[in-house]
Amino acid sequence: MSHNTFGHLFRVTTFGESHGPTIGCVVDGCPPGIPLEVADIQGYLDKRRPGQSRFTTQRQEPDAVRIVSGVMPDDATGQALTTGTPIALLIDNVDQRSKDYGEIREQYRPGHADYAYDAKYGIRDYRGGGRSSARETAMRVAAGAIARKVLLSGPRVRIRGALVQVGPNVIDRSKWDDAEIDKNPFFCPDAAAAVEWATYLDGVRKRGSSCGAIIEVIAEGVPAGWGAPIYAKLDAELASAFMSINAVKGVEIGDGMSAASLSGEENADEMRASTDGSGPAFLSNHAGGILGGISTGQPIVARFAVKPTSSILTPRRSVDKYGDEVEVRTKGRHDPCVGIRAVPVGEAMMAIVLADAFLRHRGQVGEGSGRWPFTRPQTP
Amino acid sequence: MSHNTFGHLFRVTTFGESHGPTIGCVVDGCPPGIPLEVADIQGYLDKRRPGQSRFTTQRQEPDAVRIVSGVMPDDATGQALTTGTPIALLIDNVDQRSKDYGEIREQYRPGHADYAYDAKYGIRDYRGGGRSSARETAMRVAAGAIARKVLLSGPRVRIRGALVQVGPNVIDRSKWDDAEIDKNPFFCPDAAAAVEWATYLDGVRKRGSSCGAIIEVIAEGVPAGWGAPIYAKLDAELASAFMSINAVKGVEIGDGMSAASLSGEENADEMRASTDGSGPAFLSNHAGGILGGISTGQPIVARFAVKPTSSILTPRRSVDKYGDEVEVRTKGRHDPCVGIRAVPVGEAMMAIVLADAFLRHRGQVGEGSGRWPFTRPQTP
Amino acid sequence: MSHNTFGHLFRVTTFGESHGPTIGCVVDGCPPGIPLEVADIQGYLDKRRPGQSRFTTQRQEPDAVRIVSGVMPDDATGQALTTGTPIALLIDNVDQRSKDYGEIREQYRPGHADYAYDAKYGIRDYRGGGRSSARETAMRVAAGAIARKVLLSGPRVRIRGALVQVGPNVIDRSKWDDAEIDKNPFFCPDAAAAVEWATYLDGVRKRGSSCGAIIEVIAEGVPAGWGAPIYAKLDAELASAFMSINAVKGVEIGDGMSAASLSGEENADEMRASTDGSGPAFLSNHAGGILGGISTGQPIVARFAVKPTSSILTPRRSVDKYGDEVEVRTKGRHDPCVGIRAVPVGEAMMAIVLADAFLRHRGQVGEGSGRWPFTRPQTP
Amino acid sequence: MSHNTFGHLFRVTTFGESHGPTIGCVVDGCPPGIPLEVADIQGYLDKRRPGQSRFTTQRQEPDAVRIVSGVMPDDATGQALTTGTPIALLIDNVDQRSKDYGEIREQYRPGHADYAYDAKYGIRDYRGGGRSSARETAMRVAAGAIARKVLLSGPRVRIRGALVQVGPNVIDRSKWDDAEIDKNPFFCPDAAAAVEWATYLDGVRKRGSSCGAIIEVIAEGVPAGWGAPIYAKLDAELASAFMSINAVKGVEIGDGMSAASLSGEENADEMRASTDGSGPAFLSNHAGGILGGISTGQPIVARFAVKPTSSILTPRRSVDKYGDEVEVRTKGRHDPCVGIRAVPVGEAMMAIVLADAFLRHRGQVGEGSGRWPFTRPQTP
C-alpha cells in the first residue's frame, strides 16, 4: 500500500498526529447512493474511544466526527446519501497534554518508534507519539464504518471481533458467546475469562506494567470469489491490513501458525453438497475461509497479536538523540493493554479490505459470480 | 498489491501456469548499472528446483532461465549491466504431465483453490493447478535474485532463510549453525533435527500424507530508516509478501504471536550507546528489527507457516463442479512438505520487499539517512 | 502510470528492446470467459506491421504473436477462453540489424532519446533505439486487441482511427468515408487526400527527410458514466495514454486547442430529449464525448500529433557521449512518417483506456448505470 | 491516476465540494525537513483567488488555508519543518450561495458535468457544481506550493505560467516580458495584449457570454534525467495533470500539435558542446525539454487549452433529469474566462508532476545522475 493510503478501489487515506489540532481521513471510491450519517460512524468510534474503563488510557477524547464532503441529501427523502466522490471525515483533538512528553523529546523510548522515525526522517513529532500514535486508528474505525455500509449495500457481510487472549490468558473457546462481547470492557466472548482478565489487568496497571493480546476477527456472509491471485490474495491484503495496526507482530488466517503442525488429512476442509444451493457445505474451516487467495463462502477468520504497550513506568535503559545513555520511564496516560481497543480497529480493517475486494471483484468479473454448481454438458 | 504485480518502485509482475509452455516475470524499476547474468539467478532457482531429493516432488524441471530484456553489455568490459528498463525473465516448462490431472478437471480437491477459482471466474486451468500452482514461485525466486543484487549495490544486506519446524518437530535454537543450512535437503540449521526430519518425512511420504512447516527469514545489514508509516509499514509489506506465497497461513515479525504473552518490561528492546557509531546497540530484538513500520538497524526477523500439502493419497470427501459428491484422492507428483522449497521463496520475497523499501526510502529522503546521533544544539 | 505498466484494473505491462530476442507484454485483470485466439490479435498487429508499403520502414518483422498464459480451452466447445489470470504475449524479433547502429553507440541523434537515456541511467541500449524504439508499440497493439474483446463482451464499443493530417496536408472532412480508411496505406478517410499524400511522401522519402502527422481516434458505443473525477478523468487517462506513444507532442479531446477560440454559446453542446431512450440527444459534440471527466454517451473523439521521424539522412549537429561535437546522419531503416503506423497504436491505447474505465466503473457503481431519465417524485 | 489522488511518491489527494463546509487535501510522501508555513502556500492561493478583478467570478472566498498535520517546529530555530508524514491542508468555504442554483438541481447545463455525473452515480451534488466545480483547484494550488518547496530543496526549479491566448486573441511572442505577468489581471506577458484583452473581456462579460484561453507553463532548472519510459513518461504525466484541470480540452508539449507540420530537419533540436559543463547546449527546443519521456535539461514547455466557461446567460436548449426538454440560462457568479485563474493551477500541476518525478528518479537512480560527458575508455 502506498504511504498513508490503503486500498485500491475503496481507498482510505489518513492524516494527523496525536497532538495536532485535527485528525482525518479521505474515503475515496465509495459507491454512490449509500445512506451515511454521522451516527453510522460515531457508534464504532465510541467502541474504540479511550477513557471508557479503567483498563484503557484516561485521555478524554469525545472523537466527535464530522463528514465534510461526499454526501448529499436525497431529493425526495432528505436522507443523506453518498455521492461517489471523496468522503472526508474530521475529528478535532481536544485533550492533548503535550507537556507530559517533555522528556521524550530527546529520549528514545524502548519499543516505540522514536529512534526509527529520527533515523528515517531526521525529525519527528514527539508530542504524544505524533504520527506513530495509535490515535491514527480512530480514522481507521471511522473509515471502516463506511466500509461496513458498502458491505451491507449488496452482499450481507457481518463482521465481529473479539479479544481471545490477554497476556498469557486465553479464552475457553467452548464458552464463546457472541452476546458477551459487548457486555465487558474487553470485547471478550467468554464471560468467565472476562472476570479473570479484570483482576489480571488491575495488577498489570497497578504495577505500571503492560501486556499483549490476541484479537480475532470473523467475517460472515462473504460470498465465494472475492480476492484474487497472486499478490492481491485476500489473505495477503488482510495480513497487510492487520500488520499495519500499531504494535501488531503476527497475523494468522484460519489455523495460522499452528497449521504447520497438522497433517494433510487433518488440514483438508472436506466438502459436501449443500442443501441450500449457496455453495458447497464445508465440514471444517482450517483455511479460514480463503483458498488460493480467494474467498470460499465460509466465514473468514483472522487473528493478530498485539505486543505489550511500550509505555511503562519501570525504567528501561536507552539512548537519547544525541547518543547519550539514559534511563526512560514513560509517564503520560497509556493503555495497559492496547489490544483491547484494537478490537474495533481490527474489525474496521477487515471491513476496509473486504469492501475493496468486493469492488475489485465486481470490476473484473461483474455481478454474476457464484455460478456453482455448473450445468453438466449434454452428451448425445 | 495489484493483481499479479508486487512492489511500488521495484516492481515484479509474474505470469504463467503450471502446465503452460512458459512462465515468466517482468522486473520493472531496477536501478541501472547493476551487473546481472543468468548465473546470478540460476543458483537461487536451483535451490528451489523440484526433484532434488526424495523429499520434494519428482517433477523434473531444469528451470533454465533466460533474460530477454533490460540488460546490455558494458562498452568497456563486456559485462552485462542492467539498463533501468524492464527485465523480463522466461522459463520454459518441460515436464508437464497434464494427463495426471484428468480427474481434477471436474473435482474440487479439498484444501486446494479449485472451487474458489471456479466460483470467482467460472473457469479455471486445472492442468497442474494452473495459476494456483506453486510453480509461480520460481519467478519470485528469479526476481528475488535481482532484488538481492540491488541490495548489494549500495547497502550490504544479507538474507538467509531456514526451516525451523517440520510438522510438529521444532529445531533446537541453541544448535543453530548457519553452515548447516546448505548441508541437508531441508535448509535446516540444526544438524540433529535434520536427521530426525528425514526419518519423519520418509514416514509422511510413504503414507501418502503431508505435513506443514515454519520458515524463518533473516535480513542483516538493513540500515535504520527503511519502511514508512502507516499503510506502507515495512512489516505490513512483509506480511503481504509472505502471505501471498502458496499455502501460507501465518506471518510473524520478531516475537510474533507470542508477543501477546510478554510483559512490557520483557518486550522492551533496550538500547545502549554503540561503540561503532552505526546506531544504538540494542540489547534484544523482540521487535524483529522493525518499530513503527520502520527498520531499526537490527536484523529483520520474520517467520511464516506453511500448511500441509493439500495433495494427499488418502481419499477425502468433496464435490465436483456439477454439484455432485465425490471422493478425491490426489495422484500426480507432489511435495510431501511444500515448506522445504518455500525457504528460497521466502528469501526472495524478503529481498523484493527490501529492494522496494530501499528505493522508496531513497526517493523520499535521499541518500543521507542514518543521521543519529544528532548534534546537540549549543546553549550560550 | 507506473513505469512500464498502464491501467488500474485492466493492466498492461510491456517489456523488450528493439534488437533484443523477444518483446512481450502481460495483460492482467482481464475478465474471464472471453474468447481469445491468436487470430484476434494478429490482425491488428498486421495493420501496424512494418514493411507493408514503401511509406514505412523496410524492416521485415512478421510480428507473429504467441499467447503463453491466461487462456484455456472451454470444456464443451474447445474454444480458447480467458481465465482471468495474466495473459502473456510474446513476439520474437527476427530482423534486427544492429550493425546499422554502430555509429549511434556513441553519438546522440537530435530528436531521439539517446542523450536523455544516458543522462538518466548512465547506460543505454543503443541497438535499434533499445527500449525507446517504437517497436514497443507492437505490444500496445496486441494488448489493445484484448481490450477490444473486453469492450465487446458487454458494451458494444467500436473504435476506429484515421490519419487526418500528414505534414501540412489536412484531409477534407466533408469527404470523410470510413470505408476508405483500409483502402490506402495511410489509414486516410479521404480518398483524394490519400492520392496527394502518396506523392508528398514519396518526395519526403526520396529527400531522406521525414514529416509529422495527426491521428484521430473515435470510440462509438461508450455508455454515459465511464471515467471519474478528478485525477482519474477519462480525458486525463486518454491524454496520458496518447502522450506516452513515441513522438507524440500534443493531445486533443473534442475541439481540443481550438476550443480556446470559441464563445460559450458556440461551445455548448445542446441537448434534446432522445427518441430511443438511450440518453439525451446531443446537437453537437465539441466536448468530444466527455464532460467533467465522464463519458456522456456521445462518440469519444481524440486526436494526437506525432512529430516528424527524428532519423533523417540530412546531417545534423550534435555531440557524442564523451562531450565532443559531431555531425549525425541516421542510416538504418526508418519510417518517413511514423504517424502512419501510429494509427493502430492510437486505436489500441483508446481501447486499453476504455477497457480499464469500463471495469473501474463497474467496480464502483455496478452494472446498473445509465439510469436517465429519473422518475419524477410524486407530489401529493 | 487513482480517483482523487495524483502522484506516486509525492501524492496529492483532494476532497470537498463547492458549497460544502470545507475543502482540503492531503500531501503524502513529502520529504522531511523542508521549511513550510502558511505564508508559503497562501501567496499562491491569493493568485488564484476569485473576486480580485472584474474579469473573474465575484464569489468572495478568502481561501485562508490551515496546515493541520505533517509539520513540526524545529527544536533549535522554531521554524516549522515538514516531518515526512502526511500534510493535510484545509480551507473553509465561506461564501456559498446555494440558492442561486435552485434551477440546476433538476436541469442539465450544456457543457457542464451535470448529466454525466447523474448518468454515472445516479446522484449529484448540484450546489455550486459540487465536486465538478473549479473550486477543487484551490487545493491543487495549495499542494503545488508544497511541491515548489520540494523542487527548491535540492534542484533549483523555477516554474512560471502565463496566459498566451484569450478567445481568438494571441499574444505577440516577440513582446514576451516575464515582468509583465504579474502586472495585469490576466497573467499576460505582453503588455499591449493585456490592454486589448481587457476591452475584449469587458465585452464578453457584458454580453453574459464567455471565452476560452490557452495557458503556457514553463519549468526551468529541471536537470536531465527526470521521467521514465514508457507509461511513466514525463510528458504523459504532464498531459494527465493538465487534462485533469476543469475545462481543459488540449495539451501540448514543446511544438505540440504544430509539430505535425514540421520536417524532420526543422524539428531536430541540434546540440553543441556546452561551455558550462551542465549538459549539451541545445540550439532549439521544439521538444519542449522532453525526449523519450525524459527531461533533457532544457526548459520544459507545456500548453493547455481551456474551453469557454459553460455558465452563460444566453438560453441554451437542454433536458432535465426527468427527460423533459428545457431552456437553461445560468445565473450565479461565474468567470467569463476560467482560463485566467487556470494559470496558477497549471503552475501547480507542473510543480506536482515534477516533484513526483524528482523523487521517483532519485528512488531508482539515486542522487548521482547527470553524468554526461562520460569518460572515454582508454585504448592501449
Coordinates of all heavy atoms in Angstrom, one line a residue, chain C residues 231, chain D residues 6 10-14 24-28 30 36 40-42 44-45 65 87-89 91 136-151 344-345 347-353 355:
Chain C
Y231 N -8.7 13.1 -10.7 CA -7.4 12.8 -11.4 C -7.6 11.6 -12.3 O -6.7 11.2 -13.0 CB -6.3 12.7 -10.4 CG -6.2 14.0 -9.6 CD1 -6.5 14.1 -8.3 CD2 -5.8 15.2 -10.3 CE1 -6.5 15.3 -7.6 CE2 -5.8 16.4 -9.6 CZ -6.1 16.5 -8.3 OH -6.1 17.7 -7.6
Chain D
F6 N -3.4 12.2 -7.0 CA -2.4 12.4 -8.1 C -1.0 12.1 -7.6 O -0.6 12.6 -6.6 CB -2.5 13.8 -8.7 CG -1.8 13.9 -10.0 CD1 -2.4 13.7 -11.2 CD2 -0.4 14.3 -10.0 CE1 -1.7 13.8 -12.4 CE2 0.3 14.4 -11.2 CZ -0.3 14.2 -12.4
F10 N 5.3 11.5 -4.5 CA 4.7 12.7 -4.0 C 3.2 12.7 -4.4 O 2.9 12.9 -5.6 CB 5.4 13.9 -4.6 CG 5.0 15.3 -4.0 CD1 5.6 15.8 -2.9 CD2 4.0 16.0 -4.7 CE1 5.2 17.0 -2.4 CE2 3.6 17.2 -4.2 CZ 4.2 17.7 -3.0
R11 N 2.3 12.5 -3.4 CA 1.0 12.2 -3.7 C 0.0 13.2 -3.2 O 0.1 13.6 -2.0 CB 0.6 10.8 -3.1 CG 1.4 9.7 -3.6 CD 1.2 8.4 -2.7 NE -0.1 7.9 -2.7 CZ -0.6 7.1 -3.7 NH1 0.2 6.7 -4.7 NH2 -1.8 6.7 -3.6
V12 N -0.9 13.7 -4.0 CA -1.9 14.7 -3.6 C -3.3 14.1 -3.7 O -3.7 13.6 -4.8 CB -1.8 15.9 -4.5 CG1 -2.8 16.9 -4.1 CG2 -0.4 16.5 -4.4
T13 N -4.0 14.1 -2.6 CA -5.4 13.7 -2.6 C -6.3 14.9 -2.2 O -6.0 15.5 -1.2 CB -5.6 12.5 -1.6 OG1 -4.8 11.5 -1.9 CG2 -7.1 12.1 -1.5
T14 N -7.3 15.2 -3.0 CA -8.1 16.3 -2.7 C -9.5 15.9 -2.4 O -10.0 14.8 -2.8 CB -8.2 17.4 -3.8 OG1 -8.9 16.8 -4.9 CG2 -6.8 17.8 -4.3
G24 N -10.3 20.4 1.1 CA -8.9 20.1 1.6 C -8.1 19.2 0.8 O -8.6 18.7 -0.3
C25 N -6.9 18.9 1.2 CA -6.1 18.0 0.5 C -5.1 17.4 1.5 O -4.8 17.9 2.6 CB -5.3 18.6 -0.7 SG -4.0 19.7 -0.2
V26 N -4.6 16.2 1.1 CA -3.5 15.5 1.8 C -2.3 15.4 0.9 O -2.5 14.8 -0.2 CB -4.0 14.1 2.3 CG1 -2.9 13.5 3.2 CG2 -5.3 14.2 3.0
V27 N -1.2 15.9 1.3 CA 0.0 15.8 0.5 C 0.9 14.8 1.2 O 1.4 15.0 2.4 CB 0.8 17.2 0.4 CG1 2.1 17.0 -0.3 CG2 -0.1 18.2 -0.3
D28 N 1.0 13.6 0.6 CA 1.7 12.5 1.3 C 3.0 12.2 0.5 O 3.1 12.3 -0.7 CB 0.8 11.3 1.2 CG 1.1 10.2 2.2 OD1 2.1 10.4 3.0 OD2 0.5 9.2 2.2
C30 N 5.9 13.8 1.1 CA 6.8 14.9 1.1 C 8.1 14.6 1.8 O 8.1 14.1 2.9 CB 6.1 16.2 1.7 SG 7.0 17.7 1.5
L36 N 8.1 24.9 6.0 CA 6.8 25.1 5.4 C 5.9 25.9 6.4 O 5.6 25.4 7.5 CB 6.1 23.8 5.1 CG 4.8 23.9 4.4 CD1 4.9 24.5 3.0 CD2 4.1 22.5 4.4
D40 N 3.9 30.3 2.9 CA 4.4 29.7 1.6 C 3.3 29.3 0.7 O 3.5 29.2 -0.5 CB 5.2 28.5 2.0 CG 6.5 28.8 2.8 OD1 7.2 29.8 2.5 OD2 6.7 28.1 3.8
I41 N 2.2 29.0 1.2 CA 1.0 28.5 0.4 C 0.1 29.6 0.1 O -0.4 29.7 -1.1 CB 0.3 27.4 1.2 CG1 1.3 26.3 1.6 CG2 -0.9 26.9 0.4 CD1 0.7 25.2 2.6
Q42 N -0.2 30.5 1.0 CA -1.2 31.5 0.8 C -0.9 32.4 -0.4 O -1.9 32.8 -1.1 CB -1.3 32.3 2.1 CG -2.6 33.1 2.2 CD -3.8 32.2 2.3 OE1 -3.9 31.3 3.2 NE2 -4.8 32.4 1.4
Y44 N 0.3 31.7 -3.2 CA -0.2 31.1 -4.5 C -1.7 31.1 -4.5 O -2.3 31.2 -5.6 CB 0.5 29.7 -4.7 CG 2.0 29.8 -4.9 CD1 2.8 29.4 -3.9 CD2 2.5 30.2 -6.1 CE1 4.2 29.5 -4.1 CE2 3.8 30.3 -6.3 CZ 4.7 30.0 -5.3 OH 6.1 30.0 -5.5
L45 N -2.3 30.8 -3.4 CA -3.8 30.7 -3.3 C -4.3 32.1 -3.7 O -5.3 32.2 -4.4 CB -4.2 30.3 -1.9 CG -4.2 28.8 -1.7 CD1 -4.4 28.6 -0.2 CD2 -5.2 28.1 -2.5
V65 N -5.9 29.2 4.3 CA -5.5 27.8 4.4 C -5.0 27.5 5.8 O -4.3 28.3 6.4 CB -4.5 27.4 3.3 CG1 -3.2 28.1 3.5 CG2 -4.4 25.9 3.2
I87 N 0.8 15.8 5.1 CA 0.5 17.2 5.3 C -1.0 17.4 4.9 O -1.3 17.3 3.7 CB 1.4 18.1 4.5 CG1 2.9 17.8 4.9 CG2 1.1 19.6 4.8 CD1 3.9 18.5 3.9
A88 N -1.8 17.7 5.8 CA -3.2 18.0 5.5 C -3.5 19.5 5.5 O -3.1 20.2 6.4 CB -4.2 17.3 6.4
L89 N -4.1 20.0 4.5 CA -4.5 21.4 4.3 C -6.0 21.5 4.3 O -6.6 20.8 3.5 CB -3.8 22.0 3.1 CG -2.3 21.8 2.9 CD1 -1.9 22.3 1.5 CD2 -1.6 22.4 4.0
I91 N -9.3 24.4 3.9 CA -9.9 25.7 3.6 C -11.4 25.6 3.8 O -12.0 24.8 3.2 CB -9.6 26.1 2.1 CG1 -8.1 26.3 1.9 CG2 -10.3 27.4 1.8 CD1 -7.7 26.7 0.5
E136 N -12.3 23.0 -6.6 CA -11.3 22.0 -6.2 C -9.9 22.4 -6.6 O -8.9 22.0 -5.9 CB -11.6 20.7 -7.0 CG -10.8 19.5 -6.6 CD -9.5 19.3 -7.5 OE1 -9.4 19.9 -8.5 OE2 -8.7 18.5 -7.1
T137 N -9.7 23.3 -7.6 CA -8.4 23.6 -8.0 C -7.7 24.5 -6.9 O -6.4 24.6 -7.0 CB -8.4 24.4 -9.3 OG1 -9.2 25.6 -9.2 CG2 -9.0 23.5 -10.4
A138 N -8.4 25.0 -6.0 CA -7.7 25.7 -4.9 C -6.7 24.8 -4.2 O -5.6 25.1 -3.8 CB -8.7 26.3 -3.9
M139 N -7.2 23.5 -4.0 CA -6.3 22.6 -3.3 C -5.1 22.2 -4.2 O -4.1 21.8 -3.6 CB -7.1 21.4 -2.8 CG -8.2 21.7 -1.9 SD -7.9 23.0 -0.6 CE -6.5 22.4 0.2
R140 N -5.3 22.2 -5.5 CA -4.1 21.9 -6.3 C -3.1 23.0 -6.1 O -1.9 22.7 -6.1 CB -4.6 21.9 -7.8 CG -5.6 20.8 -8.1 CD -5.9 20.9 -9.6 NE -7.1 20.1 -10.0 CZ -7.1 19.2 -11.0 NH1 -6.0 19.1 -11.8 NH2 -8.1 18.5 -11.3
V141 N -3.6 24.2 -6.1 CA -2.6 25.3 -5.9 C -1.9 25.2 -4.6 O -0.7 25.4 -4.5 CB -3.3 26.7 -6.1 CG1 -2.4 27.8 -5.7 CG2 -3.8 26.8 -7.5
A142 N -2.6 24.8 -3.5 CA -2.0 24.7 -2.2 C -1.0 23.6 -2.2 O 0.1 23.8 -1.7 CB -3.1 24.4 -1.2
A143 N -1.4 22.4 -2.8 CA -0.4 21.3 -2.9 C 0.8 21.7 -3.8 O 1.9 21.3 -3.5 CB -1.1 20.1 -3.4
G144 N 0.5 22.4 -4.8 CA 1.6 22.8 -5.7 C 2.6 23.7 -5.0 O 3.8 23.7 -5.3
A145 N 2.1 24.5 -4.0 CA 3.1 25.4 -3.3 C 4.1 24.5 -2.5 O 5.2 24.8 -2.4 CB 2.3 26.3 -2.4
I146 N 3.6 23.4 -2.0 CA 4.5 22.5 -1.3 C 5.4 21.8 -2.3 O 6.6 21.7 -2.0 CB 3.7 21.4 -0.5 CG1 2.8 22.1 0.6 CG2 4.6 20.4 0.2 CD1 1.9 21.2 1.3
A147 N 4.9 21.4 -3.4 CA 5.7 20.8 -4.5 C 6.9 21.8 -4.9 O 8.0 21.3 -5.1 CB 4.9 20.4 -5.7
R148 N 6.6 23.0 -5.0 CA 7.6 24.0 -5.3 C 8.7 24.0 -4.3 O 9.9 24.2 -4.6 CB 7.0 25.4 -5.4 CG 6.2 25.7 -6.7 CD 5.5 27.1 -6.5 NE 4.6 27.3 -7.5 CZ 4.8 28.1 -8.6 NH1 6.0 28.7 -8.8 NH2 3.8 28.3 -9.5
K149 N 8.3 23.9 -3.0 CA 9.4 23.9 -2.0 C 10.2 22.7 -2.1 O 11.4 22.7 -1.9 CB 8.7 24.0 -0.6 CG 7.8 25.2 -0.4 CD 8.0 26.0 0.8 CE 9.4 26.4 1.2 NZ 9.5 27.4 2.2
V150 N 9.6 21.5 -2.5 CA 10.4 20.3 -2.7 C 11.4 20.5 -3.8 O 12.6 20.2 -3.8 CB 9.5 19.1 -3.0 CG1 10.3 17.9 -3.4 CG2 8.6 18.8 -1.8
L151 N 10.9 21.2 -4.9 CA 11.7 21.4 -6.0 C 12.9 22.4 -5.8 O 13.8 22.5 -6.5 CB 10.9 21.9 -7.2 CG 9.9 20.8 -7.7 CD1 8.9 21.5 -8.7 CD2 10.6 19.7 -8.4
P344 N -2.4 29.9 -12.3 CA -1.7 29.3 -11.1 C -2.0 27.8 -11.0 O -1.2 27.1 -10.4 CB -2.3 30.2 -10.0 CG -3.4 31.0 -10.5 CD -3.2 31.1 -12.0
V345 N -3.1 27.4 -11.5 CA -3.5 26.0 -11.4 C -2.5 25.2 -12.2 O -2.0 24.1 -11.8 CB -4.9 25.7 -11.8 CG1 -5.2 24.2 -11.7 CG2 -5.9 26.5 -10.9
E347 N 0.5 26.1 -13.2 CA 1.8 26.1 -12.5 C 1.9 25.0 -11.4 O 2.9 24.3 -11.2 CB 2.1 27.5 -11.9 CG 2.3 28.6 -12.9 CD 2.5 29.9 -12.2 OE1 2.2 30.0 -10.9 OE2 3.0 30.8 -12.8
A348 N 0.8 24.9 -10.6 CA 0.8 24.0 -9.5 C 0.9 22.5 -10.0 O 1.6 21.7 -9.5 CB -0.5 24.1 -8.7
M349 N 0.2 22.2 -11.1 CA 0.2 20.9 -11.6 C 1.6 20.5 -12.2 O 2.1 19.4 -12.0 CB -0.9 20.6 -12.7 CG -2.3 20.7 -12.2 SD -2.6 19.8 -10.6 CE -2.5 18.1 -11.2
M350 N 2.2 21.5 -12.8 CA 3.6 21.3 -13.3 C 4.5 21.0 -12.1 O 5.3 20.1 -12.1 CB 4.1 22.6 -14.0 CG 5.6 22.6 -14.4 SD 6.0 21.5 -15.7 CE 5.7 22.5 -17.2
A351 N 4.3 21.7 -11.0 CA 5.2 21.5 -9.8 C 4.9 20.2 -9.2 O 5.9 19.5 -8.8 CB 4.9 22.6 -8.8
I352 N 3.7 19.7 -9.2 CA 3.3 18.4 -8.6 C 3.9 17.3 -9.4 O 4.5 16.4 -8.9 CB 1.8 18.3 -8.4 CG1 1.3 19.3 -7.3 CG2 1.4 16.9 -8.1 CD1 -0.2 19.4 -7.3
V353 N 3.8 17.4 -10.7 CA 4.4 16.4 -11.6 C 5.9 16.3 -11.4 O 6.5 15.2 -11.3 CB 4.0 16.6 -13.1 CG1 4.8 15.8 -14.0 CG2 2.5 16.4 -13.3
A355 N 7.8 17.4 -8.9 CA 8.2 16.9 -7.5 C 8.2 15.4 -7.5 O 9.1 14.7 -6.9 CB 7.4 17.6 -6.5

